[in-house]
């Protein structure tokens, strides 16, 4: 059984465009936290439950029918409602740490920034679905769309990855705007070699852990 270092669980998210290295660095953070004795739940969005993973498949499948920005946002938040209420909140209530690949910052970036959905709609849906629950820390991995997409060029592209570069430029601009306006967001230049990015991710996590230790 894992040693409990700290009673209150913390919620950490990884954000960024396609192929910037979220999944890779999520594993690194999970290892850092596990070595410190924290009980860590690693999860992702859209997904993290059976139903939410099914919604993910619907969202990512390429299709001829145009998906409206509102329909896309509602699907994302349907998956999130299930994930938050059946996985994230119970884990945090047990004192576990939750490490999540994407969360609502993705919706601001993709559905509002990328698709042009009114930001007020995303704010309203976020308030309905998770109220005041926001990550304690978010690491935003920033890289130009071309740089990151080149890293995943050899795999089959889903519905989002098939979008033109202009879409990902808007996604990136929306992410950078959130990184500037939300104090919990730490922006890291992910266009550099993985070792440099991971060193910055490690440093940011260590700083966060030092703050947690001080507040304990
Ligand atoms: N979505 C999601 C919305 O539209 N709204 C929402 O609210 C939410 C939650 C989900 C899709 O759903 C959309 C956005 C997405 O399009 P996803 O699978 O979570 O899709 O997201 P992706 O970004 O597509 O995930 P990827 O696996 O492609 O990207 P990662 O996780 O950022 O990248 P990773 O770690 O797998 O790395 C990709 C490759 O690059 C290498 C890795 O080794 C790997 O081979 N790499 C590097 N290479 C060189 N230098 C570095 N610094 C590197 N970092 C990683």
């Amino acid at each position: 059984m894992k040693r409990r270092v700290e009673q209150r669980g913390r919620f950490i998210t990884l954000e960024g465009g396609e192929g910037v290295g979220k999944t890779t660095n999520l594993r690194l953070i999970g290892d850092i936290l596990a070595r410190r004795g924290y009980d860590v739940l690693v999860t992702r969005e859209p997904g993290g439950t059976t139903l939410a993973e099914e919604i993910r498949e619907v969202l990512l499948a390429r299709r001829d029918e145009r998906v409206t920005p509102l329909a896309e946002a509602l699907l994302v938040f349907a998956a999130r409602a299930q994930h938050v209420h059946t996985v994230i909140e119970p884990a945090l209530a047990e004192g576990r740490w939750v490490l999540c690949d994407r969360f609502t910052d993705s919706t601001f970036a993709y559905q509002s920034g990328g698709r042009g959905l009114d930001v007020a709609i995303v704010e309203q849906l976020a308030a309905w679905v998770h109220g005041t629950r926001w990550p304690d820390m978010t690491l935003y991995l920033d890289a130009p769309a071309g740089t990151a997409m080149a890293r995943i060029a050899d795999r089959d592209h889903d519905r989002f990855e098939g979008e033109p570069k202009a879409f990902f430029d808007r996604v990136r601009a929306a992410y950078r705007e959130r990184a500037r306006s939300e104090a919990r967001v730490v922006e890291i230049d992910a266009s550099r070699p993985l070792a440099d990015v991971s060193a910055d991710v490690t440093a940011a996590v260590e700083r966060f852990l030092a703050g947690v230790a001080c507040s304990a």
Side-chain angles (χ1 to χ4, degrees), residues 17-24 45-46 56 60 76 80 102-103 106-107 110-111 151-152 155 160-161 190 192-194 197:
E18 325 291 306
V20 288
K22 295 178 298 299
T23 312
T24 307
E45 291 213 343
R56 176 189 178 92
L60 299 195
V76 164
R80 184 163 297 136
R102 298 190 181 279
F103 193 61
S106 284
T107 321
Y110 283 78
Q111 279 64 53
R151 295 176 189 160
I152 56 169
R155 73 181 187 199
F160 288 94
E161 290 162 353
R192 297 168 299 155
L194 180 56
V197 176

PDB file of all heavy atoms in Angstrom, residues 17-24 45-46 56 60 76 80 102-103 106-107 110-111 151-152 155 160-161 190 192-194 197, ligand 1:
ATOM      1  N   GLY A  17      -1.039  21.559 -27.685  1.00  0.00           N
ATOM      2  CA  GLY A  17      -1.537  21.077 -28.972  1.00  0.00           C
ATOM      3  C   GLY A  17      -1.138  19.630 -29.237  1.00  0.00           C
ATOM      4  O   GLY A  17      -0.538  18.965 -28.385  1.00  0.00           O
ATOM      5  N   GLU A  18      -1.445  19.165 -30.428  1.00  0.00           N
ATOM      6  CA  GLU A  18      -1.173  17.769 -30.809  1.00  0.00           C
ATOM      7  C   GLU A  18       0.336  17.504 -30.811  1.00  0.00           C
ATOM      8  O   GLU A  18       1.107  18.289 -31.376  1.00  0.00           O
ATOM      9  CB  GLU A  18      -1.707  17.473 -32.223  1.00  0.00           C
ATOM     10  CG  GLU A  18      -2.985  18.179 -32.589  1.00  0.00           C
ATOM     11  CD  GLU A  18      -4.168  17.663 -31.804  1.00  0.00           C
ATOM     12  OE1 GLU A  18      -4.411  16.451 -31.821  1.00  0.00           O
ATOM     13  OE2 GLU A  18      -4.838  18.493 -31.169  1.00  0.00           O
ATOM     14  N   GLY A  19       0.748  16.406 -30.207  1.00  0.00           N
ATOM     15  CA  GLY A  19       2.141  15.949 -30.306  1.00  0.00           C
ATOM     16  C   GLY A  19       3.173  16.795 -29.582  1.00  0.00           C
ATOM     17  O   GLY A  19       4.382  16.635 -29.804  1.00  0.00           O
ATOM     18  N   VAL A  20       2.754  17.674 -28.671  1.00  0.00           N
ATOM     19  CA  VAL A  20       3.745  18.521 -27.972  1.00  0.00           C
ATOM     20  C   VAL A  20       4.503  17.757 -26.883  1.00  0.00           C
ATOM     21  O   VAL A  20       5.490  18.251 -26.357  1.00  0.00           O
ATOM     22  CB  VAL A  20       3.125  19.791 -27.330  1.00  0.00           C
ATOM     23  CG1 VAL A  20       2.739  20.807 -28.376  1.00  0.00           C
ATOM     24  CG2 VAL A  20       1.984  19.447 -26.407  1.00  0.00           C
ATOM     25  N   GLY A  21       4.000  16.576 -26.497  1.00  0.00           N
ATOM     26  CA  GLY A  21       4.704  15.777 -25.489  1.00  0.00           C
ATOM     27  C   GLY A  21       3.959  15.642 -24.172  1.00  0.00           C
ATOM     28  O   GLY A  21       4.566  15.334 -23.142  1.00  0.00           O
ATOM     29  N   LYS A  22       2.640  15.833 -24.203  1.00  0.00           N
ATOM     30  CA  LYS A  22       1.852  15.742 -22.959  1.00  0.00           C
ATOM     31  C   LYS A  22       1.957  14.346 -22.344  1.00  0.00           C
ATOM     32  O   LYS A  22       2.248  14.201 -21.158  1.00  0.00           O
ATOM     33  CB  LYS A  22       0.372  16.070 -23.230  1.00  0.00           C
ATOM     34  CG  LYS A  22       0.137  17.495 -23.678  1.00  0.00           C
ATOM     35  CD  LYS A  22      -1.315  17.759 -23.968  1.00  0.00           C
ATOM     36  CE  LYS A  22      -1.864  16.908 -25.104  1.00  0.00           C
ATOM     37  NZ  LYS A  22      -1.207  17.103 -26.403  1.00  0.00           N
ATOM     38  N   THR A  23       1.670  13.319 -23.151  1.00  0.00           N
ATOM     39  CA  THR A  23       1.655  11.953 -22.623  1.00  0.00           C
ATOM     40  C   THR A  23       3.039  11.561 -22.109  1.00  0.00           C
ATOM     41  O   THR A  23       3.170  10.959 -21.036  1.00  0.00           O
ATOM     42  CB  THR A  23       1.191  10.971 -23.728  1.00  0.00           C
ATOM     43  OG1 THR A  23       0.001  11.511 -24.326  1.00  0.00           O
ATOM     44  CG2 THR A  23       0.891   9.604 -23.175  1.00  0.00           C
ATOM     45  N   THR A  24       4.071  11.944 -22.861  1.00  0.00           N
ATOM     46  CA  THR A  24       5.447  11.622 -22.472  1.00  0.00           C
ATOM     47  C   THR A  24       5.770  12.240 -21.111  1.00  0.00           C
ATOM     48  O   THR A  24       6.315  11.572 -20.220  1.00  0.00           O
ATOM     49  CB  THR A  24       6.418  12.181 -23.547  1.00  0.00           C
ATOM     50  OG1 THR A  24       6.008  11.701 -24.824  1.00  0.00           O
ATOM     51  CG2 THR A  24       7.843  11.763 -23.270  1.00  0.00           C
ATOM     52  N   GLU A  45      -8.479  13.164 -20.840  1.00  0.00           N
ATOM     53  CA  GLU A  45      -9.730  13.661 -21.425  1.00  0.00           C
ATOM     54  C   GLU A  45      -9.552  13.900 -22.922  1.00  0.00           C
ATOM     55  O   GLU A  45      -8.457  14.274 -23.340  1.00  0.00           O
ATOM     56  CB  GLU A  45     -10.146  14.965 -20.740  1.00  0.00           C
ATOM     57  CG  GLU A  45     -10.586  14.743 -19.309  1.00  0.00           C
ATOM     58  CD  GLU A  45     -11.678  15.701 -18.870  1.00  0.00           C
ATOM     59  OE1 GLU A  45     -11.875  16.735 -19.539  1.00  0.00           O
ATOM     60  OE2 GLU A  45     -12.332  15.409 -17.874  1.00  0.00           O
ATOM     61  N   PRO A  46     -10.595  13.724 -23.742  1.00  0.00           N
ATOM     62  CA  PRO A  46     -11.827  13.104 -23.299  1.00  0.00           C
ATOM     63  C   PRO A  46     -11.536  11.644 -22.965  1.00  0.00           C
ATOM     64  O   PRO A  46     -10.774  11.008 -23.663  1.00  0.00           O
ATOM     65  CB  PRO A  46     -12.764  13.224 -24.506  1.00  0.00           C
ATOM     66  CG  PRO A  46     -11.997  13.909 -25.585  1.00  0.00           C
ATOM     67  CD  PRO A  46     -10.597  14.080 -25.166  1.00  0.00           C
ATOM     68  N   ARG A  56     -15.185   9.789 -26.487  1.00  0.00           N
ATOM     69  CA  ARG A  56     -13.915  10.157 -27.144  1.00  0.00           C
ATOM     70  C   ARG A  56     -13.858   9.590 -28.569  1.00  0.00           C
ATOM     71  O   ARG A  56     -13.476  10.290 -29.508  1.00  0.00           O
ATOM     72  CB  ARG A  56     -12.742   9.619 -26.317  1.00  0.00           C
ATOM     73  CG  ARG A  56     -11.378   9.851 -26.941  1.00  0.00           C
ATOM     74  CD  ARG A  56     -10.280   9.109 -26.194  1.00  0.00           C
ATOM     75  NE  ARG A  56      -9.000   9.302 -26.810  1.00  0.00           N
ATOM     76  CZ  ARG A  56      -8.136  10.270 -26.486  1.00  0.00           C
ATOM     77  NH1 ARG A  56      -8.417  11.099 -25.528  1.00  0.00           N
ATOM     78  NH2 ARG A  56      -6.997  10.399 -27.119  1.00  0.00           N
ATOM     79  N   LEU A  60     -13.384  11.787 -31.945  1.00  0.00           N
ATOM     80  CA  LEU A  60     -12.165  11.734 -32.756  1.00  0.00           C
ATOM     81  C   LEU A  60     -12.367  11.100 -34.131  1.00  0.00           C
ATOM     82  O   LEU A  60     -11.540  11.297 -35.022  1.00  0.00           O
ATOM     83  CB  LEU A  60     -11.061  10.970 -32.008  1.00  0.00           C
ATOM     84  CG  LEU A  60     -10.588  11.542 -30.665  1.00  0.00           C
ATOM     85  CD1 LEU A  60      -9.279  10.899 -30.230  1.00  0.00           C
ATOM     86  CD2 LEU A  60     -10.412  13.059 -30.707  1.00  0.00           C
ATOM     87  N   VAL A  76     -17.823  16.958 -25.447  1.00  0.00           N
ATOM     88  CA  VAL A  76     -16.650  17.051 -24.566  1.00  0.00           C
ATOM     89  C   VAL A  76     -17.091  17.175 -23.110  1.00  0.00           C
ATOM     90  O   VAL A  76     -16.567  16.486 -22.218  1.00  0.00           O
ATOM     91  CB  VAL A  76     -15.775  18.272 -24.968  1.00  0.00           C
ATOM     92  CG1 VAL A  76     -14.798  18.617 -23.867  1.00  0.00           C
ATOM     93  CG2 VAL A  76     -15.035  17.999 -26.266  1.00  0.00           C
ATOM     94  N   ARG A  80     -16.759  14.869 -19.792  1.00  0.00           N
ATOM     95  CA  ARG A  80     -16.122  15.461 -18.598  1.00  0.00           C
ATOM     96  C   ARG A  80     -17.015  15.305 -17.359  1.00  0.00           C
ATOM     97  O   ARG A  80     -16.506  15.030 -16.256  1.00  0.00           O
ATOM     98  CB  ARG A  80     -15.815  16.939 -18.874  1.00  0.00           C
ATOM     99  CG  ARG A  80     -15.068  17.642 -17.755  1.00  0.00           C
ATOM    100  CD  ARG A  80     -14.443  18.931 -18.251  1.00  0.00           C
ATOM    101  NE  ARG A  80     -13.459  18.661 -19.281  1.00  0.00           N
ATOM    102  CZ  ARG A  80     -13.333  19.360 -20.425  1.00  0.00           C
ATOM    103  NH1 ARG A  80     -14.096  20.400 -20.655  1.00  0.00           N
ATOM    104  NH2 ARG A  80     -12.410  19.022 -21.311  1.00  0.00           N
ATOM    105  N   ARG A 102      -5.033  16.696 -20.399  1.00  0.00           N
ATOM    106  CA  ARG A 102      -6.075  17.621 -20.887  1.00  0.00           C
ATOM    107  C   ARG A 102      -7.230  17.745 -19.887  1.00  0.00           C
ATOM    108  O   ARG A 102      -7.588  16.803 -19.183  1.00  0.00           O
ATOM    109  CB  ARG A 102      -6.654  17.192 -22.243  1.00  0.00           C
ATOM    110  CG  ARG A 102      -5.642  17.156 -23.384  1.00  0.00           C
ATOM    111  CD  ARG A 102      -6.390  16.957 -24.705  1.00  0.00           C
ATOM    112  NE  ARG A 102      -5.499  16.898 -25.844  1.00  0.00           N
ATOM    113  CZ  ARG A 102      -4.991  17.962 -26.451  1.00  0.00           C
ATOM    114  NH1 ARG A 102      -5.281  19.170 -26.020  1.00  0.00           N
ATOM    115  NH2 ARG A 102      -4.202  17.834 -27.499  1.00  0.00           N
ATOM    116  N   PHE A 103      -7.820  18.946 -19.880  1.00  0.00           N
ATOM    117  CA  PHE A 103      -9.042  19.221 -19.115  1.00  0.00           C
ATOM    118  C   PHE A 103      -9.707  20.427 -19.781  1.00  0.00           C
ATOM    119  O   PHE A 103      -9.537  20.623 -20.999  1.00  0.00           O
ATOM    120  CB  PHE A 103      -8.679  19.461 -17.623  1.00  0.00           C
ATOM    121  CG  PHE A 103      -9.856  19.461 -16.673  1.00  0.00           C
ATOM    122  CD1 PHE A 103     -10.667  18.339 -16.532  1.00  0.00           C
ATOM    123  CD2 PHE A 103     -10.170  20.583 -15.919  1.00  0.00           C
ATOM    124  CE1 PHE A 103     -11.749  18.338 -15.662  1.00  0.00           C
ATOM    125  CE2 PHE A 103     -11.243  20.591 -15.036  1.00  0.00           C
ATOM    126  CZ  PHE A 103     -12.030  19.470 -14.913  1.00  0.00           C
ATOM    127  N   SER A 106      -8.377  22.715 -22.555  1.00  0.00           N
ATOM    128  CA  SER A 106      -8.444  22.212 -23.944  1.00  0.00           C
ATOM    129  C   SER A 106      -9.705  22.713 -24.637  1.00  0.00           C
ATOM    130  O   SER A 106      -9.691  23.012 -25.836  1.00  0.00           O
ATOM    131  CB  SER A 106      -8.449  20.679 -23.978  1.00  0.00           C
ATOM    132  OG  SER A 106      -7.179  20.139 -23.734  1.00  0.00           O
ATOM    133  N   THR A 107     -10.804  22.787 -23.897  1.00  0.00           N
ATOM    134  CA  THR A 107     -12.071  23.217 -24.517  1.00  0.00           C
ATOM    135  C   THR A 107     -12.005  24.702 -24.874  1.00  0.00           C
ATOM    136  O   THR A 107     -12.502  25.128 -25.920  1.00  0.00           O
ATOM    137  CB  THR A 107     -13.258  22.935 -23.573  1.00  0.00           C
ATOM    138  OG1 THR A 107     -13.052  21.684 -22.926  1.00  0.00           O
ATOM    139  CG2 THR A 107     -14.570  22.904 -24.340  1.00  0.00           C
ATOM    140  N   TYR A 110      -9.590  24.562 -28.037  1.00  0.00           N
ATOM    141  CA  TYR A 110     -10.055  23.930 -29.274  1.00  0.00           C
ATOM    142  C   TYR A 110     -11.448  24.409 -29.703  1.00  0.00           C
ATOM    143  O   TYR A 110     -11.658  24.761 -30.854  1.00  0.00           O
ATOM    144  CB  TYR A 110     -10.057  22.395 -29.128  1.00  0.00           C
ATOM    145  CG  TYR A 110      -8.683  21.796 -29.227  1.00  0.00           C
ATOM    146  CD1 TYR A 110      -7.805  21.842 -28.144  1.00  0.00           C
ATOM    147  CD2 TYR A 110      -8.226  21.194 -30.393  1.00  0.00           C
ATOM    148  CE1 TYR A 110      -6.529  21.305 -28.226  1.00  0.00           C
ATOM    149  CE2 TYR A 110      -6.955  20.655 -30.485  1.00  0.00           C
ATOM    150  CZ  TYR A 110      -6.109  20.712 -29.404  1.00  0.00           C
ATOM    151  OH  TYR A 110      -4.847  20.191 -29.494  1.00  0.00           O
ATOM    152  N   GLN A 111     -12.418  24.333 -28.769  1.00  0.00           N
ATOM    153  CA  GLN A 111     -13.783  24.660 -29.189  1.00  0.00           C
ATOM    154  C   GLN A 111     -13.988  26.177 -29.290  1.00  0.00           C
ATOM    155  O   GLN A 111     -14.679  26.642 -30.192  1.00  0.00           O
ATOM    156  CB  GLN A 111     -14.814  24.041 -28.223  1.00  0.00           C
ATOM    157  CG  GLN A 111     -15.086  22.567 -28.493  1.00  0.00           C
ATOM    158  CD  GLN A 111     -13.874  21.668 -28.283  1.00  0.00           C
ATOM    159  OE1 GLN A 111     -13.252  21.713 -27.223  1.00  0.00           O
ATOM    160  NE2 GLN A 111     -13.518  20.878 -29.276  1.00  0.00           N
ATOM    161  N   ARG A 151       6.128  15.544 -35.271  1.00  0.00           N
ATOM    162  CA  ARG A 151       6.467  14.412 -34.397  1.00  0.00           C
ATOM    163  C   ARG A 151       5.451  13.265 -34.526  1.00  0.00           C
ATOM    164  O   ARG A 151       5.743  12.140 -34.148  1.00  0.00           O
ATOM    165  CB  ARG A 151       6.503  14.874 -32.937  1.00  0.00           C
ATOM    166  CG  ARG A 151       7.610  15.870 -32.649  1.00  0.00           C
ATOM    167  CD  ARG A 151       7.516  16.348 -31.210  1.00  0.00           C
ATOM    168  NE  ARG A 151       8.427  17.464 -30.966  1.00  0.00           N
ATOM    169  CZ  ARG A 151       8.303  18.315 -29.960  1.00  0.00           C
ATOM    170  NH1 ARG A 151       7.304  18.169 -29.095  1.00  0.00           N
ATOM    171  NH2 ARG A 151       9.157  19.289 -29.801  1.00  0.00           N
ATOM    172  N   ILE A 152       4.255  13.598 -35.007  1.00  0.00           N
ATOM    173  CA  ILE A 152       3.220  12.553 -35.103  1.00  0.00           C
ATOM    174  C   ILE A 152       2.794  12.342 -36.556  1.00  0.00           C
ATOM    175  O   ILE A 152       1.726  11.808 -36.835  1.00  0.00           O
ATOM    176  CB  ILE A 152       1.987  12.891 -34.219  1.00  0.00           C
ATOM    177  CG1 ILE A 152       1.397  14.259 -34.581  1.00  0.00           C
ATOM    178  CG2 ILE A 152       2.356  12.843 -32.741  1.00  0.00           C
ATOM    179  CD1 ILE A 152       0.040  14.514 -33.920  1.00  0.00           C
ATOM    180  N   ARG A 155       1.607   8.749 -38.053  1.00  0.00           N
ATOM    181  CA  ARG A 155       0.473   7.949 -37.576  1.00  0.00           C
ATOM    182  C   ARG A 155      -0.826   8.422 -38.247  1.00  0.00           C
ATOM    183  O   ARG A 155      -0.883   9.526 -38.795  1.00  0.00           O
ATOM    184  CB  ARG A 155       0.363   8.031 -36.049  1.00  0.00           C
ATOM    185  CG  ARG A 155      -0.144   9.337 -35.522  1.00  0.00           C
ATOM    186  CD  ARG A 155      -0.178   9.306 -33.989  1.00  0.00           C
ATOM    187  NE  ARG A 155      -0.831  10.497 -33.489  1.00  0.00           N
ATOM    188  CZ  ARG A 155      -0.706  10.948 -32.264  1.00  0.00           C
ATOM    189  NH1 ARG A 155       0.047  10.319 -31.400  1.00  0.00           N
ATOM    190  NH2 ARG A 155      -1.348  12.038 -31.884  1.00  0.00           N
ATOM    191  N   PHE A 160      -9.419  15.775 -35.432  1.00  0.00           N
ATOM    192  CA  PHE A 160      -8.778  17.042 -35.080  1.00  0.00           C
ATOM    193  C   PHE A 160      -7.446  17.211 -35.814  1.00  0.00           C
ATOM    194  O   PHE A 160      -7.129  18.286 -36.320  1.00  0.00           O
ATOM    195  CB  PHE A 160      -8.542  17.130 -33.561  1.00  0.00           C
ATOM    196  CG  PHE A 160      -9.816  17.323 -32.786  1.00  0.00           C
ATOM    197  CD1 PHE A 160     -10.501  16.243 -32.254  1.00  0.00           C
ATOM    198  CD2 PHE A 160     -10.351  18.592 -32.601  1.00  0.00           C
ATOM    199  CE1 PHE A 160     -11.681  16.413 -31.549  1.00  0.00           C
ATOM    200  CE2 PHE A 160     -11.532  18.776 -31.893  1.00  0.00           C
ATOM    201  CZ  PHE A 160     -12.202  17.678 -31.370  1.00  0.00           C
ATOM    202  N   GLU A 161      -6.688  16.118 -35.851  1.00  0.00           N
ATOM    203  CA  GLU A 161      -5.352  16.200 -36.451  1.00  0.00           C
ATOM    204  C   GLU A 161      -5.411  16.463 -37.959  1.00  0.00           C
ATOM    205  O   GLU A 161      -4.417  16.861 -38.553  1.00  0.00           O
ATOM    206  CB  GLU A 161      -4.572  14.912 -36.154  1.00  0.00           C
ATOM    207  CG  GLU A 161      -4.206  14.808 -34.670  1.00  0.00           C
ATOM    208  CD  GLU A 161      -3.839  13.404 -34.224  1.00  0.00           C
ATOM    209  OE1 GLU A 161      -3.987  12.455 -35.020  1.00  0.00           O
ATOM    210  OE2 GLU A 161      -3.433  13.263 -33.060  1.00  0.00           O
ATOM    211  N   ALA A 190       7.961  23.815 -25.452  1.00  0.00           N
ATOM    212  CA  ALA A 190       8.075  22.395 -25.806  1.00  0.00           C
ATOM    213  C   ALA A 190       8.631  22.189 -27.209  1.00  0.00           C
ATOM    214  O   ALA A 190       8.603  21.067 -27.721  1.00  0.00           O
ATOM    215  CB  ALA A 190       6.704  21.724 -25.676  1.00  0.00           C
ATOM    216  N   ARG A 192      11.722  22.577 -27.827  1.00  0.00           N
ATOM    217  CA  ARG A 192      13.125  22.174 -27.611  1.00  0.00           C
ATOM    218  C   ARG A 192      13.242  20.648 -27.504  1.00  0.00           C
ATOM    219  O   ARG A 192      12.227  19.947 -27.422  1.00  0.00           O
ATOM    220  CB  ARG A 192      13.639  22.829 -26.326  1.00  0.00           C
ATOM    221  CG  ARG A 192      13.648  24.369 -26.397  1.00  0.00           C
ATOM    222  CD  ARG A 192      13.873  24.959 -25.027  1.00  0.00           C
ATOM    223  NE  ARG A 192      12.806  24.569 -24.103  1.00  0.00           N
ATOM    224  CZ  ARG A 192      12.938  24.502 -22.786  1.00  0.00           C
ATOM    225  NH1 ARG A 192      14.084  24.757 -22.205  1.00  0.00           N
ATOM    226  NH2 ARG A 192      11.913  24.144 -22.041  1.00  0.00           N
ATOM    227  N   PRO A 193      14.482  20.127 -27.467  1.00  0.00           N
ATOM    228  CA  PRO A 193      14.651  18.665 -27.298  1.00  0.00           C
ATOM    229  C   PRO A 193      13.963  18.178 -26.020  1.00  0.00           C
ATOM    230  O   PRO A 193      13.864  18.936 -25.034  1.00  0.00           O
ATOM    231  CB  PRO A 193      16.164  18.507 -27.209  1.00  0.00           C
ATOM    232  CG  PRO A 193      16.727  19.694 -27.917  1.00  0.00           C
ATOM    233  CD  PRO A 193      15.766  20.817 -27.670  1.00  0.00           C
ATOM    234  N   LEU A 194      13.520  16.935 -26.056  1.00  0.00           N
ATOM    235  CA  LEU A 194      12.736  16.374 -24.956  1.00  0.00           C
ATOM    236  C   LEU A 194      13.448  16.520 -23.596  1.00  0.00           C
ATOM    237  O   LEU A 194      12.800  16.813 -22.586  1.00  0.00           O
ATOM    238  CB  LEU A 194      12.429  14.898 -25.242  1.00  0.00           C
ATOM    239  CG  LEU A 194      11.614  14.147 -24.205  1.00  0.00           C
ATOM    240  CD1 LEU A 194      10.275  14.840 -23.938  1.00  0.00           C
ATOM    241  CD2 LEU A 194      11.369  12.707 -24.662  1.00  0.00           C
ATOM    242  N   VAL A 197      12.833  19.980 -22.231  1.00  0.00           N
ATOM    243  CA  VAL A 197      11.423  20.153 -21.838  1.00  0.00           C
ATOM    244  C   VAL A 197      11.175  19.419 -20.521  1.00  0.00           C
ATOM    245  O   VAL A 197      10.596  19.974 -19.574  1.00  0.00           O
ATOM    246  CB  VAL A 197      10.480  19.610 -22.938  1.00  0.00           C
ATOM    247  CG1 VAL A 197       9.028  19.702 -22.498  1.00  0.00           C
ATOM    248  CG2 VAL A 197      10.701  20.351 -24.252  1.00  0.00           C
TER     249      VAL A 197
HETATM  250  N1  LIG B   1     -10.033  17.917 -27.391  1.00  0.00           N
HETATM  251  C1  LIG B   1      -9.809  17.429 -26.139  1.00  0.00           C
HETATM  252  C2  LIG B   1     -10.895  18.997 -27.596  1.00  0.00           C
HETATM  253  O1  LIG B   1     -11.104  19.417 -28.732  1.00  0.00           O
HETATM  254  N2  LIG B   1     -11.481  19.586 -26.501  1.00  0.00           N
HETATM  255  C3  LIG B   1     -11.281  19.121 -25.220  1.00  0.00           C
HETATM  256  O2  LIG B   1     -11.843  19.696 -24.267  1.00  0.00           O
HETATM  257  C4  LIG B   1     -10.418  18.001 -25.044  1.00  0.00           C
HETATM  258  C5  LIG B   1     -10.181  17.473 -23.662  1.00  0.00           C
HETATM  259  C6  LIG B   1      -7.613  14.473 -27.950  1.00  0.00           C
HETATM  260  C7  LIG B   1      -8.184  15.394 -28.976  1.00  0.00           C
HETATM  261  O3  LIG B   1      -9.369  15.915 -28.424  1.00  0.00           O
HETATM  262  C8  LIG B   1      -9.377  17.309 -28.546  1.00  0.00           C
HETATM  263  C9  LIG B   1      -7.935  17.733 -28.677  1.00  0.00           C
HETATM  264  C10 LIG B   1      -7.256  16.553 -29.301  1.00  0.00           C
HETATM  265  O4  LIG B   1      -7.253  16.754 -30.697  1.00  0.00           O
HETATM  266  P1  LIG B   1      -5.282  13.511 -27.445  1.00  0.00           P
HETATM  267  O5  LIG B   1      -4.916  12.148 -27.845  1.00  0.00           O
HETATM  268  O6  LIG B   1      -5.458  13.765 -26.024  1.00  0.00           O
HETATM  269  O7  LIG B   1      -6.488  13.891 -28.374  1.00  0.00           O
HETATM  270  O8  LIG B   1      -4.291  14.642 -27.826  1.00  0.00           O
HETATM  271  P2  LIG B   1      -3.082  14.635 -28.743  1.00  0.00           P
HETATM  272  O9  LIG B   1      -2.473  15.967 -28.586  1.00  0.00           O
HETATM  273  O10 LIG B   1      -3.488  14.207 -30.105  1.00  0.00           O
HETATM  274  O11 LIG B   1      -2.146  13.547 -28.075  1.00  0.00           O
HETATM  275  P3  LIG B   1      -0.794  13.121 -28.631  1.00  0.00           P
HETATM  276  O12 LIG B   1      -0.499  11.791 -28.043  1.00  0.00           O
HETATM  277  O13 LIG B   1      -0.734  13.259 -30.097  1.00  0.00           O
HETATM  278  O14 LIG B   1       0.207  14.226 -28.146  1.00  0.00           O
HETATM  279  P4  LIG B   1       1.040  14.375 -26.848  1.00  0.00           P
HETATM  280  O15 LIG B   1       0.534  13.486 -25.778  1.00  0.00           O
HETATM  281  O16 LIG B   1       1.171  15.810 -26.576  1.00  0.00           O
HETATM  282  O17 LIG B   1       2.477  13.881 -27.358  1.00  0.00           O
HETATM  283  P5  LIG B   1       3.293  12.574 -26.979  1.00  0.00           P
HETATM  284  O18 LIG B   1       3.845  12.685 -25.631  1.00  0.00           O
HETATM  285  O19 LIG B   1       2.481  11.381 -27.337  1.00  0.00           O
HETATM  286  O20 LIG B   1       4.487  12.764 -28.005  1.00  0.00           O
HETATM  287  C11 LIG B   1       4.304  12.614 -29.401  1.00  0.00           C
HETATM  288  C12 LIG B   1       5.644  12.124 -30.027  1.00  0.00           C
HETATM  289  O21 LIG B   1       6.596  13.171 -29.923  1.00  0.00           O
HETATM  290  C13 LIG B   1       7.756  12.729 -29.182  1.00  0.00           C
HETATM  291  C14 LIG B   1       7.281  11.540 -28.358  1.00  0.00           C
HETATM  292  O22 LIG B   1       8.344  10.666 -28.075  1.00  0.00           O
HETATM  293  C15 LIG B   1       6.244  10.922 -29.294  1.00  0.00           C
HETATM  294  O23 LIG B   1       6.882  10.123 -30.244  1.00  0.00           O
HETATM  295  N3  LIG B   1       8.185  13.875 -28.396  1.00  0.00           N
HETATM  296  C16 LIG B   1       9.211  14.655 -28.729  1.00  0.00           C
HETATM  297  N4  LIG B   1      10.092  14.594 -29.754  1.00  0.00           N
HETATM  298  C17 LIG B   1      11.042  15.578 -29.815  1.00  0.00           C
HETATM  299  N5  LIG B   1      11.147  16.587 -28.902  1.00  0.00           N
HETATM  300  C18 LIG B   1      10.295  16.676 -27.862  1.00  0.00           C
HETATM  301  N6  LIG B   1      10.396  17.699 -27.001  1.00  0.00           N
HETATM  302  C19 LIG B   1       9.264  15.684 -27.749  1.00  0.00           C
HETATM  303  N7  LIG B   1       8.247  15.498 -26.878  1.00  0.00           N
HETATM  304  C20 LIG B   1       7.593  14.387 -27.280  1.00  0.00           C
END
